[in-house]
Amino acid sequence: MALLTATPAPTEHLSSVRPARLRDRYGRPIHYLRISLIDHCNLRCVYCMPEDENHFTPKTDLLTPAEIEAIARAAVSVGFDKIRLTGGEPTLRPDLVEIVERLAHIEGVRTLAMTTNGLLLTRLAKPLKEAGLTRVNIHLDTVNPERLRQLMLYNRFERVWEGILAAEAAGLTPIKLNAVVLRGYNDEDVADLAALTLERPWHVRFIEAMPLGPQATVALERYVSNQETKAHIEARFGPLEPAFDGQLVGEARMYRIPGALGLVGFISPVSEPYCDSCNRLRLTADGKMRLCLLTDHELDFRQTLRTGGEEALRELFVRAVKAKPVGHQLRSGIYPQIRGMSQIGG
Ligand code: SAM
Ligand code: SF4
């Protein structure tokens, strides 16, 4: 493919000359690309994917490693500098290490991260680090094995735990754990999760459930605000101390339990939308660019990649950034329908 060029620069060796970041119509700099590698998953978390889901993008329709690299190169050429791989479950891609290697060698990629449920990290953490992955976010909703079974439909807690330790040992740090909180499932477990930060330099972040796709009703009916989650944690540990001057770090507001090594964070897209600081676009596994997680507007990057050249892709990035919606409309009761979270990647 004409678009592909192998360059020897790993993520650590960046050129000092970077293209200016694109800004959208609302002045937001857009420089963070999330890439979903696959919509298949080895779990069925109740707020994400129906238990009986069996319609997935056929392998032949998934973007290939070369196509992912081409789109990422076009992104970097218009100022993107952060990439996150996600899914579905990204570790189910047999070519994951190759994809990481290709992306890590793009000059200008400052951060190359991945979001995963951690089940396959014991095997993959080291090769991924060696291929150039910077860090991982691992999804863990509870440390209670029985409730893990109810919420993530998985009964081997120790495997997730070993995956987290493998990521830490491989240097994919800081370790960030993500927990979606649902009433009646894990809302009583949040203080136990936060307690993981007492003696470990980990970031444990609580995410409000968002209603989208086929599991929207679960998220709506079981929703717990992060104000409530924070109060629950403070009932055990006392007032949390704001970290980073109380400013948003990405989409999270970070705190510390007094004396703890790690941090506790709150990602509150429903109760405290952070759309005015949104900096990202999302590429789906079948090559559509989603302009906002919670809005069904997409542009077909795969089609442009296959029919146009590198310049056409760059132009499409500019169009995508300009077309980015101002924010979601959950408060007006408008929920995205065409894809669930596992088909976008969070
Ligand atoms: N399978 C990987 C994982 O679980 O981390 C990556 C994909 S998953 C869709 C990415 C993130 O989205 C996870 O942290 C998951 O908890 C979160 N997520 C899934 N459904 C959600 C929902 N309805 N509301 C909020 N977060 C959700
Ligand atoms: Fe799979 Fe992640 Fe969705 Fe859970 S949240 S079902 S692990 S894609």
Side-chain angles (χ1 to χ4, degrees):
M1 165 161 327
L3 291 174
L4 302 177
T5 48
T7 59
T11 40
E12 290 78 18
H13 303 140
L14 302 180
S15 155
S16 53
V17 183
R18 290 205 184 132
R21 287 174 176 171
L22 292 175
R23 284 184 184 268
D24 71 2
R25 287 174 294 163
Y26 309 98
R28 297 173 295 192
I30 309 298
H31 62 101
Y32 174 13
L33 181 63
R34 297 177 66 104
I35 303 177
S36 172
L37 298 181
I38 188 167
D39 54 2
H40 210 305
C41 189
N42 43 5
L43 294 184
R44 294 289 184 277
C45 303
V46 297
Y47 45 75
C48 180
M49 215 201 262
E51 190 173 353
D52 59 357
E53 179 64 72
N54 56 14
H55 285 101
F56 299 107
T57 305
K59 256 194 196 143
T60 46
D61 286 347
L62 293 176
L63 293 172
T64 64
E67 288 174 330
I68 292 166
E69 180 184 348
I71 293 175
R73 282 188 183 281
V76 169
S77 76
V78 295
F80 283 66
D81 58 6
K82 176 172 178 182
I83 294 177
R84 175 174 298 279
L85 303 177
T86 178
E89 178 44 44
T91 57
L92 294 184
R93 281 279 297 232
D95 47 10
L96 175 63
V97 173
E98 178 194 343
I99 292 168
V100 168
E101 214 156 42
R102 282 174 176 267
L103 300 183
H105 279 80
I106 300 175
E107 194 174 347
V109 175
R110 184 175 50 86
T111 305
L112 178 58
M114 182 175 77
T115 297
T116 169
N117 61 33
L119 298 192
L120 299 177
L121 280 181
T122 38
R123 174 165 58 80
L124 283 170
K126 198 161 173 273
L128 287 172
K129 175 70 183 177
E130 285 166 1
L133 193 70
T134 321
R135 59 171 189 256
V136 284
N137 288 7
I138 301 165
H139 163 201
L140 179 67
D141 292 328
T142 172
V143 288
N144 179 311
E146 172 54 20
R147 284 198 283 275
L148 187 84
R149 193 188 60 70
Q150 294 164 356
L151 190 53
M152 299 169 79
L153 306 192
Y154 187 66
N155 60 11
R156 289 186 55 200
F157 174 78
E158 67 288 354
R159 188 156 161 201
V160 187
W161 191 253
E162 282 160 15
I164 297 169
L165 297 181
E168 186 170 45
L172 293 167
T173 52
I175 293 292
K176 296 188 184 181
L177 303 183
N178 289 339
V180 177
V181 183
L182 286 196
R183 190 166 315 284
Y185 280 96
N186 60 341
D187 53 332
E188 300 289 322
D189 301 343
V190 294
D192 289 340
L193 274 167
L196 295 176
T197 66
L198 290 173
E199 294 182 356
R200 300 175 184 86
W202 296 355
H203 299 189
V204 173
R205 308 176 329 152
F206 297 94
I207 305 176
E208 290 178 343
M210 289 174 259
L212 72 164
Q215 299 308 84
T217 311
V218 179
L220 284 172
E221 289 176 350
R222 303 281 183 155
Y223 170 77
V224 179
S225 75
N226 264 339
Q227 290 70 29
E228 185 177 331
T229 295
K230 182 163 175 275
H232 211 115
I233 295 168
E234 290 186 322
R236 173 155 349 149
F237 299 107
L240 299 178
E241 298 167 349
F244 304 104
D245 293 328
Q247 300 300 308
L248 278 179
V249 181
E251 69 278 53
R253 227 173 266 290
M254 304 301 295
Y255 295 83
R256 187 185 298 278
I257 297 173
L261 284 185
L263 297 174
V264 172
F266 299 93
I267 300 175
S268 313
V270 181
S271 68
E272 264 189 273
Y274 37 81
C275 303
D276 55 0
S277 60
C278 185
N279 58 4
R280 59 199 67 179
L281 295 180
R282 294 171 167 85
L283 183 65
T284 65
D286 56 353
K288 306 291 188 302
M289 193 65 75
R290 187 128 178 140
L291 309 183
C292 163
L293 171 62
L294 295 167
T295 309
D296 279 332
H297 186 178
E298 299 178 348
L299 291 174
D300 193 341
F301 270 58
R302 189 177 59 183
Q303 181 66 15
T304 299
L305 173 67
R306 290 182 180 175
T307 55
E310 199 169 344
E311 191 50 39
L313 265 186
R314 266 200 292 272
E315 279 165 16
L316 195 55
F317 264 109
V318 174
R319 260 181 59 206
V321 166
K322 294 293 173 212
K324 193 170 159 58
V326 64
H328 67 66
Q329 295 179 283
L330 296 184
R331 284 195 176 146
S332 312
I334 299 174
Y335 311 128
Q337 305 288 333
I338 64 167
R339 291 179 194 264
M341 196 68 100
S342 60
Q343 298 163 312
I344 306 170

